[in-house]
């Protein structure tokens, strides 16, 4: 059975709104645009570095809409004291990247 | 082993 994406659709809509507010170029947000948003969470930089590694699935230095949603999901988990995993759980890989 | 992110693509490293 298709593994449901861990990001709920209502959360995805919220993350998409943030994504669009950061004026993506060709549907991508570069690291310098995403960095202030994630730093806003007041999480330690090494945590954010790991969040980035896990969400920048194609390691192109930019996040697309789905990768951005993964990053936001991981940040919210970390804010609720959920440790950021060392590798991306399969349920968190966006269906578009499987 | 977690891949230590390459600073070239990671704005936090």
């Amino acid at each position: 059975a298709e593994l449901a994406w861990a990001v709920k659709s209502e959360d995805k809509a919220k993350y998409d709104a943030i994504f669009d507010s950061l004026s993506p170029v060709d549907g991508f947000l570069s690291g310098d645009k995403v960095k202030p948003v994630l730093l806003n969470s007041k999480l330690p930089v090494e945590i954010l570095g790991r969040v980035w590694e896990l969400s920048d699935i194609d390691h192109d230095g930019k996040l697309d809409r789905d990768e951005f949603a993964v990053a936001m999901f991981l940040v919210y988990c970390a804010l609720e004291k959920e440790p950021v995993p060392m590798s991306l759980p399969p349920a968190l890989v966006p269906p578009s990247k499987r | 082993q977690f891949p230590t992110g390459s600073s070239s693509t990671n704005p936090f490293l």
Side-chain angles (χ1 to χ4, degrees), chain A residues 19-20 22-30 33 62-64:
Chain A
F19 182 87
D20 293 330
L22 295 170
S23 53
V25 174
D26 297 331
F28 288 95
L29 286 177
S30 58
K33 281 188 182 163
K62 298 178 291 199
L63 297 186
D64 65 17

Side-chain angles (χ1 to χ4, degrees), chain A residues 35 38 45 48-50 52-53 59 61 86, chain B residues 2-6 8-13:
Chain A
K35 186 170 182 178
L38 299 192
V45 169
L48 296 177
R50 195 187 313 168
W52 177 276
E53 283 307 309
H59 292 288
M86 298 309 274
Chain B
F2 181 72
T4 50
S6 55
S8 62
T9 59
N10 191 318
F12 297 98
L13 298 182

